[in-house]
């Protein structure tokens, strides 16, 4: 299971920067992912992390993903402190069994103005369910997949439905 952070507010989050929310606050995402409570699987969330942030102007979010654990990604801290955003979505990963540990598998997934993160797993995704779900995608969405994760496939399914008027 992953750890997630979602925040929406003004550019300064009422005195908090994205860097504070991710790295500095007492219950920051970095702290929660290194010392999780109430996590049924795994002792930490060491399999990488990602963040998407939406500036006050424009539709497309900024985006950062890495395979480093969030608590070890000190190079991103100065960037995070400078982020002026109205919305932040981040996740620290504990990869599902059988999935690659690769940057492309880390949430949030970003397509155009959309960002998506999922806490959980699709049962039997690697061997059966993933094949069926991918088969339900439009050819363009299927070709655009970059990871082997259930989250990216679910986002693609949702975007296909949005494109079709749902």
């Amino acid at each position: 299971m992953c750890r997630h952070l979602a925040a929406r507010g003004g550019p300064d989050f009422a005195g908090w920067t994205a860097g504070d929310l991710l790295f500095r606050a007492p219950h920051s995402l970095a702290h929660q992912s290194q010392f999780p409570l109430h996590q049924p699987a795994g002792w930490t969330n060491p399999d990488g992390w990602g963040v998407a942030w939406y500036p006050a102007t424009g539709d497309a979010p900024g985006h950062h993903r890495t395979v480093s654990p969030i608590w070890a990604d000190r190079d991103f801290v100065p960037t995070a402190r400078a982020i002026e955003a109205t919305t932040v979505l981040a996740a620290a990963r504990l990869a599902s069994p059988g999935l690659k540990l690769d940057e492309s598998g880390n949430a949030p997934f970003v397509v155009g103005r959309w960002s998506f993160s999922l806490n959980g797993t699709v049962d039997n995704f690697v061997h059966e369910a993933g094949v069926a779900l991918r088969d339900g995608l439009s050819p363009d969405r299927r070709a655009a997949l970059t990871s082997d994760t259930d989250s990216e496939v679910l986002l693609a399914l949702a975007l296909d439905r949005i494109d079709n008027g749902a």
Side-chain angles (χ1 to χ4, degrees):
M1 297 225 117
C2 297
R3 288 277 158 174
H4 297 267
L5 166 83
R8 184 165 171 85
D12 65 356
F13 291 105
W16 292 85
T17 68
D20 293 330
L21 296 170
L22 294 167
F23 297 104
R24 202 169 139 223
H27 297 290
S28 68
L29 186 60
H31 178 81
Q32 289 185 42
S33 65
Q34 191 172 14
F35 305 104
L37 298 176
H38 312 292
Q39 180 168 294
W43 296 100
T44 63
N45 299 88
D47 299 327
W49 79 284
V51 60
W53 63 92
Y54 292 80
T57 58
D59 287 334
H63 192 219
H64 170 78
R65 293 192 299 187
T66 181
V67 294
S68 298
I70 186 173
W71 63 84
D73 192 7
R74 305 317 292 172
D75 291 340
F76 190 70
V77 172
T79 301
R81 285 188 183 136
I83 291 173
E84 292 187 8
T86 58
T87 304
V88 174
L89 176 64
R93 185 178 186 201
L94 176 61
S96 299
L99 298 183
K100 293 183 288 189
L101 296 183
D102 183 279
E103 177 181 301
S104 68
N106 292 345
F109 296 90
V110 174
V111 177
R113 66 184 182 105
W114 300 98
S115 59
F116 179 82
S117 192
L118 167 74
N119 196 23
T121 60
V122 174
D123 290 337
N124 205 14
F125 181 80
V126 173
H127 300 292
E128 291 179 25
V131 173
L133 290 170
R134 282 184 185 93
D135 285 347
L137 291 171
S138 66
D140 288 343
R141 289 264 187 243
R142 191 176 321 112
L145 295 175
T146 61
S147 75
D148 62 353
T149 66
D150 50 3
S151 298
E152 185 183 28
V153 173
L154 293 175
L155 171 59
L157 285 166
L159 293 176
D160 269 349
R161 290 184 179 194
I162 289 168
D163 289 347
N164 290 326

